[in-house]
Amino acid sequence: MAIAVLVVGVPRIFRALNTVSTDDAYVNGYVTFVAPRVAGQVARVLVDDNNRVKKGDVLVELDPEPFQVQVAIKQAALDAAQADLVVAEANVRAAVAQARSHRFKLARAIEDVDNQIALIRARVATWEQSKATMALAQAEFDRAARLLSTKVVSAEEFDQRREALDVAKAQVTQAFENILQARVALGLPAEAPQGASLGDVPPDLDQTFSSVREALAALIQSAAPLGVVPSSYDLTPKQTLAEFYKRDPGGKVDRIYAEIIKNAPALQQAKANLLRAQRDLDQAKLDLRYTTIVAEIDGVITRRNVNPGNNVQVGQSLMAIRSLRDIWVDANFKETQLRNLRIGQRVDLEVDMYGGKRTFEGRISGFTFGTGSTLALLPAQNATGNFVKVVQRLPVRIDVTNYDPDKLPLFVGLSVSPSVDLKTPPTGSNAGKFLQEPAPESPSPSPALSKP
């Protein structure tokens, strides 16, 4: 009898000294709730409670016809947006051609003013020449008048000299009137200011003349829809063109126009509309794909509460999937048992469902940062003056390491009796600690991925 007691009792005593156990433990696991991402009418339900499903299996199908109609509508809008982009690009190129035409008209207006200025100066020279010719004709007429009485000059020759003088005077008058006409045509006073010549004109007349300013305004008006606007409307044509050529470091006109076409507001708007239409189509296709509701994890169906013909809303719970593999044990150890417990310690798990016939292996993976009473819906208030000390329990998470649900499944809520092995050194990540290390920061998304 004594030998039997020793054989049975000594191992138990030895085990009790090297293990920490509790009977307040149970199996826990993740629950994934199945909910639609779009509102619609249920067409088919392909699973029932307790059915085992794999990730990607179809659970529920919604009526796809309304969403197919939306896809067709969005596709038509995308086609229209693509056509609008082609039209916008053609209009922008036409606007560029018109702006270039107005640029040549501005140059022609400046040339016309320069020609008018040159014409004034040429007519002043003609006027001076006419005055010289008139002076010669006057001298010859005076000489003929003196010699007429001496019969050296005949009456006929005298008449010729008088006619030549009259013609010369008329030419002087005509040349003078031509000068006045050219000056008035350029907006100048008919008579030159005191001390100035009739050929004198303002040095910037080819930049300020009305026809030049009109051509400049037409150029600005045609360039405005392209997003090309001068810094000031008081700039002269030379200053405006100089500002335009500064758009390219090398002053290359072809590169400037290529950049203007690319950044034209109408073209950018058409591209934005095309992008929006593409995104709308993508959303419509995504909604159509969401009419097929699939399992996101491997597991078992539970809490099914949907039937064909039901109208469901976004986020409405249709059923739940309990994972078969992502399970663990929540063991509520007494606070007096926590002294020697650490992350990474080996744990023997005896499940009441299987009794002592099958022992599962586990590993402590973490400690809940708070006892069960602090996490209760109505935590205890110990400042009322009637405090009674009660041994607290702390939930300890134990991961199952040799678990195969196809052979011996563990159902959520099953009672477990864990025994922590204190003599075996902790292993794995965060071994020997109470708290886990902070999770590493996830890398920030690249700019290309963050764009819509």
Side-chain angles (χ1 to χ4, degrees), residues 232-310:
S232 172
Y233 289 100
D234 293 330
L235 297 179
T236 63
K238 289 182 179 179
Q239 293 170 335
T240 302
L241 294 177
E243 189 176 77
F244 174 78
Y245 285 115
K246 287 181 181 178
R247 289 174 171 266
D248 182 76
K252 297 293 184 179
V253 177
D254 291 340
R255 285 204 298 259
I256 293 175
Y257 281 122
E259 190 69 18
I260 289 175
I261 293 174
K262 184 175 70 174
N263 297 322
L267 193 59
Q268 293 297 320
Q269 183 179 16
K271 289 180 178 179
N273 291 337
L274 176 60
L275 181 60
R276 181 175 60 187
Q278 181 64 60
R279 293 295 178 265
D280 289 343
L281 177 60
D282 294 341
Q283 183 64 54
K285 290 181 178 179
L286 190 62
D287 291 343
L288 177 59
R289 190 163 71 246
Y290 286 159
T291 59
T292 301
I293 303 173
V294 300
E296 298 296 336
I297 63 170
D298 296 344
V300 177
I301 299 297
T302 184
R303 301 183 194 174
R304 170 190 156 174
N305 59 357
V306 62
N307 293 299
N310 292 158

Side-chain angles (χ1 to χ4, degrees), residues 378-448:
L378 298 174
Q381 297 295 326
N382 295 332
T384 59
N386 57 353
F387 170 68
V388 177
K389 183 177 180 180
V390 178
V391 177
Q392 301 295 312
R393 290 182 178 268
L394 184 77
V396 177
R397 175 162 171 164
I398 301 172
D399 291 339
V400 185
T401 57
N402 65 335
Y403 174 60
D404 186 356
D406 294 325
K407 295 181 179 178
L408 295 174
L410 293 177
F411 300 101
V412 174
L414 292 178
S415 296
V416 181
S417 297
S419 297
V420 182
D421 186 358
L422 299 180
K423 65 179 181 180
T424 303
T427 58
S429 59
N430 304 299
K433 298 180 180 180
F434 273 123
L435 299 177
Q436 299 178 1
E437 292 293 333
E441 294 184 3
S442 59
S444 58
S446 64

Side-chain angles (χ1 to χ4, degrees), residues 109-281:
I110 295 175
E111 292 172 357
D112 289 343
V113 173
D114 291 338
N115 289 337
Q116 291 293 327
I117 293 173
L119 180 62
I120 289 176
R121 291 170 179 166
R123 288 182 176 181
V124 169
T126 301
W127 180 50
E128 295 295 338
Q129 180 182 5
S130 299
K131 289 195 293 183
T133 302
M134 184 184 70
L136 177 60
Q138 182 68 51
E140 290 180 350
F141 174 76
D142 294 341
R143 187 181 309 111
R146 289 194 300 271
L147 296 178
L148 180 61
S149 58
T150 59
K151 304 299 183 181
V152 175
V153 174
S154 64
E156 181 182 359
E157 187 176 356
F158 176 76
D159 292 338
Q160 291 176 351
R161 295 290 184 270
R162 183 169 56 189
E163 180 186 5
L165 178 59
D166 293 339
V167 171
K169 288 180 178 180
Q171 289 176 346
V172 169
T173 301
Q174 182 181 7
F176 182 72
E177 294 297 333
N178 288 340
I179 295 172
L180 298 183
Q181 179 187 10
R183 288 180 61 85
V184 172
L186 287 178
L188 300 173
E191 298 292 339
Q194 188 175 3
S197 169
L198 288 174
D200 294 338
V201 296
D204 60 345
L205 184 60
D206 61 349
Q207 301 293 303
T208 59
F209 188 60
S210 59
S211 62
V212 175
R213 300 300 297 184
E214 181 182 7
L216 177 61
L219 175 61
I220 294 175
Q221 182 181 8
S222 62
L226 299 172
V228 180
V229 180
S231 58
S232 172
Y233 289 100
D234 293 330
L235 297 179
T236 63
K238 289 182 179 179
Q239 293 170 335
T240 302
L241 294 177
E243 189 176 77
F244 174 78
Y245 285 115
K246 287 181 181 178
R247 289 174 171 266
D248 182 76
K252 297 293 184 179
V253 177
D254 291 340
R255 285 204 298 259
I256 293 175
Y257 281 122
E259 190 69 18
I260 289 175
I261 293 174
K262 184 175 70 174
N263 297 322
L267 193 59
Q268 293 297 320
Q269 183 179 16
K271 289 180 178 179
N273 291 337
L274 176 60
L275 181 60
R276 181 175 60 187
Q278 181 64 60
R279 293 295 178 265
D280 289 343
L281 177 60

Side-chain angles (χ1 to χ4, degrees), residues 331-350:
N332 297 302
F333 286 96
K334 296 178 182 179
E335 55 185 322
T336 55
Q337 296 176 303
L338 300 174
R339 182 182 303 108
N340 296 321
L341 299 188
R342 296 292 187 276
I343 294 175
Q345 288 177 328
R346 182 176 177 273
V347 184
D348 291 330
L349 303 172
E350 184 176 325

